[in-house]
């Protein structure tokens, strides 16, 4: 609402929050991949599943979410420049 335009708001949010989101996701993925060293196969599989899920969520946050916002414009119409 502050920017008035979806493309400007997306750029600003990705610049501010995108870096923290990427770093946090990478740390979580690496943390769960440590479970691959486990002797228990079920625990190793669970770690891989969680790492894959977090990676998929990160890709969706960076690629799918901006497209959905630009297409559906859930916060109302844009203001003219």
């Amino acid at each position: 609402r502050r920017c008035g335009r979806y493309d400007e708001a997306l750029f600003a949010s990705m610049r501010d929050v995108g870096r923290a989101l990427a770093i946090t996701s990478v740390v979580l993925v690496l943390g769960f991949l440590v479970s691959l060293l486990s002797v228990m196969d079920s625990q190793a599989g669970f770690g891989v599943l969680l790492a894959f899920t977090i990676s998929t969520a990160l890709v969706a946050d960076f690629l799918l979410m901006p497209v959905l916002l630009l297409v559906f414009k859930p916060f109302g119409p844009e203001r003219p420049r």
Side-chain angles (χ1 to χ4, degrees):
R1 294 178 194 255
R2 187 175 20 163
C3 293
R5 301 199 42 85
Y6 283 94
D7 54 351
E8 293 173 7
L10 281 170
F11 180 74
S13 66
M14 287 295 177
R15 187 181 59 235
D16 294 340
V17 180
R19 183 176 181 191
L21 183 66
I23 291 171
T24 304
S25 296
V26 167
V27 168
L28 283 171
V29 166
L30 293 176
F32 282 116
L33 286 179
V34 168
S35 67
L36 281 173
L37 303 174
S38 174
V39 177
M40 295 175 52
D41 290 338
S42 61
Q43 189 172 3
F46 186 68
V48 170
L49 182 63
L50 282 173
F52 176 74
T53 303
I54 292 170
S55 300
T56 304
L58 179 65
V59 170
D61 283 340
F62 284 146
L63 300 179
L64 185 62
M65 188 260 316
V67 171
L68 291 174
L69 283 175
L70 290 173
V71 169
F72 292 111
K73 299 185 189 308
F75 303 112
E78 295 180 322
R79 291 186 298 217
R81 288 191 187 250

